[in-house]
Amino acid sequence: MKKDPKSVVFHYEKLGCDSATMRHSLANRLTYTVGKDPITATERDWFHAIAYMVRDRLAERWMETMRGYYRDDAKRVYYFSLEFLIGRMLVNGMSNLGCLGECRKLLEDLGLDLEELSEIEPDAALGNGGLGRLAACFLDSMATLGLHGYGYGIRYEYGMFNQRIIEGEQVEHPDNWLRYGNPWEFSRPEVLYPVKFFGHIMEYVDEEGRHCHHWADAEEVMAMAFDTPIPGRGNDVVNNMRLWTAKATRDFNLRLFNEGNYIQAVEDKNASENLSKVLYPDDTTSMGRELRLKQQYFFVSASLQDILHRFQRYHSDFSELPSKVAIQLNDTHPSVSIPELMRLLMDAHHLGWDEAWHITRRVFSYTNHTLMPEALETWPVRLFERVLPRHMQIIFEINFRFLKDVMHHYPGDHDVLRRMSIIGEDGERTVRMAHLAIVGSHRVNGVSAIHTRLMKESIFFDFDQFFPGRIINITNGVTPRLWIEQANPLLSELITSHIGDGWVRDLDELKRLVPLAENPKFRKKFMAVKRANKARLAGLIHRHLGITVDPDSLFDVQIKRIHEYKRQLLNLLHVVTRYNRIRRGAPGLSPRTVIFSGKAAPGYVMAKRIIRLINDVADIINNDPAMHRQLKVVFIPNYDVSTALDIIPAADLSEQISTAGTEASGTGNMKLAMNGALTIGTLDGANIEIQNAVGEENLFIFGLDAAQVEACRAGYRPRDLYETNAELKEVLDMIASGFFSPDDPQRHQPVVDSLLQHDFYLLLADYAAYINVQEAVDAHFQDPDSWARKAILNVGHMGRFSSDRTVSQYADEIWNVHHKHHA
């Protein structure tokens, strides 16, 4: 009788992390996987061999973790996100396995440099900004806390884009990050699910009298899985990130191919595989919008089919699903999951509406990341209906039943029905995805205290009244493994030498640094670390950009997406003001290096104008001999996780200057403060909680708060501020007249016009307060001892901003799962 291979038990030796065993593994990997020997191996070959060596050690822990999850049959958490900005994985894998020191020594013995080899690894281009990096931090924390956690997303072939600055302007190039292969992933060609689009719905009654729906004449694409191991720190837990790539269905092209129309066959295959090609196709065109909607559905449909397949291996009763499955929707992008789970439960598994809805609502929870109404995702009904006809039917039915409920609570109040409807009726009918996510989830969370309060008071006021307790706050956090330990090895060594290494898994331990702020020797060591990090960044700037900056100057850093609400332009107004003051010989100004980095969305014209203006201002200031090293301006191109890891440890000042009430949380503010930068910021997002944690005397807060912003907008006349503030007028006139663009004097007129005519984000209203607080920054920086004390207190009070705390809160307050903290 033939043996069942599933019954075979393999006994393998667990691979050690000692130098001798790893040397043996490395030789095997170089020879048998890369197919080279040390004589012919290139640096890239060595990188791949080392990556496979680390992956082997992750893989065995991964298998054991997954077997344990099946044995435990505990509830699993699935994190649905269109972005996962995981960065480079080599050093992270070594660190979390606990073999970083051994690996570094092994490579030194072989004449190799770990830092140089890790530079070969491209950043995985699976995201754009804070949303994707938050998702990656959460996966790290879920594994470190021993949660049964999975990430689900799309394996983009090309990421956001590679940003180059050519003649001061952003130029986008494809980010072909998979060009040389990805050693961390495992392809799973057997994990393949069909995903449908278009077609029409046939309704019929089956032999048991059930009303059924059949999705007919649909186009079909296959979703194929790629798995990446995500290691926890020091606990042998390795979780999974599963990303989907689009494949043409096998029979899709056969007829055309056989008819000899080879070109058409290939074109159809390429068209169906475009779904996973590019992150966020430009949705300013109708084709781009359709592709983006299809991307969202493609990934959630495959993920839900996969989750139900896993559930059904050991369970047959779908009423158990909410006790075995929790799905977190990271923003509205995956919210089409709600009608998709309803479709699968009703159409594929024949549950009734009420039972399917009861299950669906208890499975899903939704994280909101924006307060700006224009950023809340909506889809035209006619587009949605054409691409996903069955889902549109289900959404109409969800809405009908929901509004009936609302009507019973508020009889005769048509306004509240209009405001709360999942279907927007103002002008073109649209599907409001945030409303769908709230109605279809049992918990909704904001990501900072002020963000959640404003959600309840403004955009989701009606929902908070109708579903009391559904909207809660869980403030964002970041993983200290990446953002302190790996980003800043010198600071990590200093901290560990004084308080031990417990802080890496319990960031609250950092509070033991607080008394050391009073210790002159510790302050001196702390500032020596900061000086070394600044010298390193200065070297990188000189090597890559040809600009010489002074490591003893104040490094003033603003690194984030370029967006009007984040107010890089306000920072620039200060730079020009400072430039004018230096030229006039004003006293009390510390030497300063102002560093910008960030990408503008390809279709966002004003953001691209701001990048051009920053570079034009930098060109004039950096080449003006009158500056005498007093002021330098640097725009570092192609901001990504690796660039952030270079910049953050070197920052003295962290610019968090969004208009109050616009930034949901921010996480750059946390990363910078953890590395000893002092925050200059508005009372917005997590800045408020950072102020509460570190003390208002240890950061620089300025400007209007959220309530004052609302009041100011009524009857706001920015031109009056221009007319009455001589310094501001001088700055804007210089920009408008072409002082910084002599080759094209009108180039920056549209930026100035926008400020004088609209200034929606109130830069001019906050200008005077911002300039005043920058003067306070200069005064404090001139007292190095006091500055060092404040910087240490910032680090010491950042414990609550660990993503371990954030994820523990999700586990307790939303997912109802147990975690093994500090195991």
Side-chain angles (χ1 to χ4, degrees):
M1 184 179 160
K2 190 179 174 191
K3 188 162 185 172
D4 177 5
K6 288 187 169 63
S7 68
V8 173
V9 178
F10 272 136
H11 294 287
Y12 55 85
E13 290 178 24
K14 209 161 186 186
L15 295 167
C17 287
D18 59 283
S19 197
T21 313
M22 288 197 297
R23 186 185 177 107
H24 182 67
S25 296
L26 184 57
N28 282 346
R29 278 311 192 180
L30 187 65
T31 306
Y32 302 126
T33 307
V34 180
K36 290 285 186 80
D37 66 13
I39 298 165
T40 56
T42 64
E43 280 206 321
R44 188 174 302 283
D45 294 329
W46 280 112
F47 160 69
H48 276 100
I50 295 155
Y52 286 124
M53 177 194 82
V54 173
R55 190 183 81 164
D56 288 344
R57 283 152 178 76
L58 295 177
E60 56 192 14
R61 290 163 174 79
W62 192 25
M63 304 291 170
E64 191 50 52
T65 300
M66 294 302 144
R67 283 193 290 269
Y69 289 174
Y70 278 110
R71 276 196 306 272
D72 294 352
D73 193 26
K75 189 171 186 178
R76 301 174 190 237
V77 176
Y78 299 102
Y79 198 80
F80 279 22
S81 180
L82 261 189
E83 301 183 34
F84 287 100
L85 266 182
I86 52 177
R88 293 171 173 157
M89 294 188 65
L90 183 64
V91 173
N92 186 65
M94 291 173 177
S95 290
N96 281 359
L97 282 171
C99 64
L100 180 60
E102 286 291 340
C103 286
R104 184 176 275 114
K105 185 175 175 304
L106 165 65
L107 294 176
E108 278 172 17
D109 291 347
L110 296 170
L112 298 164
D113 182 285
L114 176 59
E115 272 61 46
E116 285 175 16
L117 288 173
S118 64
E119 289 289 321
I120 290 168
E121 181 176 3
D123 271 40
L126 297 168
N128 167 25
L131 180 95
R133 185 51 237 176
L134 183 79
C137 283
F138 280 13
L139 293 189
D140 177 273
S141 285
M142 281 197 262
T144 298
L145 295 171
L147 288 175
H148 300 17
Y150 297 70
Y152 272 112
I154 295 178
R155 179 182 179 266
Y156 301 105
E157 213 168 302
Y158 298 94
M160 175 71 174
F161 57 82
N162 205 302
Q163 180 198 53
R164 293 184 202 161
I165 303 298
I166 297 173
E167 293 182 356
E169 302 210 332
Q170 169 177 296
V171 178
E172 299 100 21
H173 289 261
D175 187 355
N176 188 4
W177 71 288
L178 291 167
R179 182 187 295 122
Y180 301 107
N182 175 6
W184 302 107
E185 68 186 7
F186 292 84
S187 68
R188 305 292 191 205
E190 77 286 1
V191 182
L192 207 60
Y193 295 101
V195 179
K196 294 178 174 182
F197 303 101
F198 308 116
H200 60 273
I201 307 305
M202 293 167 60
E203 300 189 28
Y204 63 96
V205 176
D206 71 5
E207 60 275 10
E208 291 177 33
R210 287 181 303 216
H211 191 76
C212 299
H213 296 81
H214 175 63
W215 191 350
D217 300 327
E219 283 183 17
E220 205 171 83
V221 174
M222 302 306 289
M224 179 180 138
F226 282 78
D227 288 347
T228 302
I230 305 291
R233 177 52 179 264
N235 58 0
D236 284 347
V237 170
V238 179
N239 282 342
N240 194 22
M241 177 176 72
R242 176 160 283 182
L243 304 177
W244 301 103
T245 193
K247 296 285 180 192
T249 50
R250 290 210 176 100
D251 55 357
F252 202 63
N253 310 309
L254 205 56
R255 182 182 52 80
L256 288 169
F257 191 87
N258 290 342
E259 287 169 6
N261 194 345
Y262 176 71
I263 301 298
Q264 182 63 49
V266 171
E267 277 177 4
D268 285 356
K269 174 175 157 54
N270 288 346
S272 63
E273 294 183 358
N274 276 344
L275 276 177
S276 54
K277 278 273 190 291
V278 183
L279 168 71
Y280 295 156
D282 183 1
D283 60 5
T284 51
T285 65
S286 59
M287 242 178 81
R289 274 183 80 68
E290 181 182 297
L291 181 56
R292 193 160 168 177
L293 176 60
K294 286 169 78 177
Q295 263 189 350
Q296 292 181 5
Y297 176 63
F298 164 77
F299 120 72
V300 305
S301 176
S303 304
L304 286 168
Q305 289 180 69
D306 197 39
I307 289 166
L308 293 186
H309 171 75
R310 190 176 294 119
F311 172 79
Q312 287 185 283
R313 285 174 69 174
Y314 296 99
H315 304 276
S316 54
D317 182 356
F318 279 104
S319 68
E320 293 178 26
L321 193 69
S323 64
K324 298 297 176 188
V325 169
I327 299 174
Q328 189 70 35
L329 305 176
N330 190 24
D331 216 348
T332 52
H333 312 130
S335 52
V336 70
S337 301
I338 291 162
E340 172 64 358
L341 183 57
M342 289 293 288
R343 182 189 75 81
L344 290 167
L345 292 175
M346 293 190 302
D347 297 0
H349 299 287
H350 309 297
L351 271 64
W353 179 280
D354 290 340
E355 190 183 359
W357 184 242
H358 185 59
I359 291 166
T360 297
R361 261 203 27 244
R362 288 188 300 146
V363 163
F364 287 112
S365 43
Y366 156 57
T367 302
N368 172 272
H369 287 282
T370 184
L371 287 165
M372 290 188 273
E374 70 275 12
L376 289 173
E377 199 172 32
T378 61
W379 294 104
V381 164
R382 55 189 172 72
L383 169 67
F384 207 101
E385 208 160 28
R386 190 168 59 80
V387 177
L388 300 171
R390 179 64 179 128
H391 299 75
M392 196 68 253
Q393 286 182 343
I394 292 169
I395 290 169
F396 281 141
E397 182 67 18
I398 292 171
N399 198 42
F400 173 76
R401 289 168 181 247
F402 169 60
L403 290 183
K404 201 168 159 190
D405 211 5
V406 174
M407 187 178 67
H408 290 150
H409 279 74
Y410 304 107
D413 190 340
H414 295 294
D415 262 1
V416 81
L417 292 177
R418 183 181 52 76
R419 291 196 306 268
M420 294 182 78
S421 174
I422 295 168
I423 307 299
E425 306 279 359
D426 307 329
E428 185 184 32
R429 293 172 84 210
T430 55
V431 184
R432 298 161 162 170
M433 300 308 276
H435 290 205
L436 175 63
I438 294 171
V439 172
S441 298
H442 67 283
R443 277 283 180 278
V444 176
N445 73 287
V447 290
S448 74
I450 183 180
H451 169 231
T452 305
R453 178 172 64 77
L454 292 172
M455 275 168 69
K456 291 178 173 189
E457 290 173 1
S458 60
I459 51 172
F460 302 138
F461 172 79
D462 295 313
F463 290 98
D464 186 50
Q465 298 294 299
F466 190 74
F467 297 120
R470 183 168 295 189
I471 300 176
I472 64 171
N473 178 58
I474 300 183
T475 298
N476 281 344
V478 303
T479 171
R481 268 83 57 191
L482 181 67
W483 294 110
I484 306 178
E485 188 187 34
Q486 291 167 47
N488 202 338
L490 296 176
L491 180 60
S492 302
E493 284 166 29
L494 179 64
I495 294 170
T496 298
S497 69
H498 283 76
I499 66 168
D501 64 0
W503 61 272
V504 177
R505 293 193 66 196
D506 180 3
L507 203 61
D508 283 332
E509 287 279 303
L510 289 183
K511 62 178 176 290
R512 292 170 59 196
L513 294 175
V514 170
L516 292 169
E518 307 307 325
N519 180 326
K521 280 187 182 167
F522 185 80
R523 284 200 298 266
K524 191 175 176 187
K525 286 180 186 171
F526 184 91
M527 292 316 283
V529 163
K530 180 63 76 176
R531 176 66 170 67
N533 287 327
K534 289 167 73 175
R536 179 178 178 273
L537 179 59
L540 289 170
I541 289 170
H542 189 262
R543 189 186 332 150
H544 293 289
L545 302 176
I547 300 169
T548 302
V549 300
D550 178 6
D552 291 316
S553 65
L554 185 154
F555 278 23
D556 176 347
V557 168
Q558 189 173 21
I559 45 174
K560 51 188 77 235
R561 268 187 309 131
I562 309 295
H563 197 295
E564 287 163 278
Y565 86 83
K566 293 178 184 285
R567 301 204 296 190
Q568 283 90 353
L569 198 48
L570 178 59
N571 186 346
L572 203 62
L573 297 183
H574 164 251
V575 168
V576 178
T577 305
R578 188 178 197 85
Y579 174 62
N580 291 336
R581 288 183 176 184
I582 294 168
R583 291 199 307 159
R584 283 195 289 269
L589 296 169
S590 304
R592 195 176 290 211
T593 299
V594 182
I595 296 169
F596 294 89
S597 194
K599 295 178 180 178
Y604 190 173
V605 175
M606 183 54 79
K608 291 175 116 171
R609 283 186 176 140
I610 290 167
I611 289 176
R612 179 68 202 251
L613 179 55
I614 291 169
N615 283 297
D616 281 355
V617 169
D619 185 55
I620 296 294
I621 290 177
N622 295 347
N623 290 295
D624 186 337
M627 287 303 97
H628 298 304
R629 299 172 73 145
Q630 283 290 296
L631 182 61
K632 283 284 170 77
V633 181
V634 180
F635 186 96
I636 296 176
N638 204 42
Y639 185 58
D640 57 14
V641 175
S642 296
T643 312
L645 294 173
D646 289 331
I647 298 170
I648 286 170
D652 290 308
L653 190 66
S654 161
E655 298 269 356
Q656 309 298 334
I657 58 177
S658 51
T659 312
T662 60
E663 187 73 82
S665 166
T667 49
N669 45 8
M670 302 169 189
K671 295 161 193 168
L672 284 152
M674 280 178 188
N675 282 275
L678 272 53
T679 302
I680 180 170
T682 49
L683 288 169
D684 198 24
N687 293 356
I688 298 169
E689 287 157 86
I690 291 173
Q691 179 187 32
N692 294 340
V694 307
E696 59 186 32
E697 67 284 2
N698 295 315
L699 74 176
F700 303 95
I701 295 293
F702 73 95
L704 304 172
D705 64 23
Q708 290 166 332
V709 163
E710 282 308 304
C712 180
R713 284 200 172 124
Y716 178 53
R717 292 161 54 107
R719 190 172 282 277
D720 291 353
L721 294 165
Y722 164 81
E723 300 291 357
T724 53
N725 186 320
E727 267 194 310
L728 173 60
K729 184 174 191 303
E730 179 187 24
V731 167
L732 291 177
D733 287 349
M734 286 167 75
I735 294 169
S737 67
F739 183 95
F740 297 105
S741 53
D743 57 321
D744 179 5
Q746 296 299 302
R747 181 183 298 145
H748 300 301
Q749 188 69 50
V751 175
V752 175
D753 288 346
S754 152
L755 288 177
L756 293 179
Q757 290 164 19
H758 314 292
D759 191 22
F760 183 75
Y761 294 109
L762 305 182
L763 281 72
L764 305 195
D766 273 343
Y767 170 81
Y770 183 52
I771 299 301
N772 287 342
V773 83
Q774 288 282 13
E775 290 171 9
V777 169
D778 280 316
H780 283 280
F781 193 69
Q782 285 159 23
D783 181 350
D785 227 31
S786 164
W787 187 277
R789 187 176 171 280
K790 290 174 188 293
I792 294 163
L793 290 173
N794 268 267
V795 178
H797 287 300
M798 289 304 289
R800 75 175 305 268
F801 298 101
S802 167
S803 50
D804 297 347
R805 186 269 315 153
T806 309
V807 167
S808 296
Q809 264 188 281
Y810 277 91
D812 295 337
E813 299 175 36
I814 297 182
W815 304 329
N816 192 25
V817 293
H818 302 296
H819 49 88
K820 303 165 187 169
H821 200 9
H822 316 322

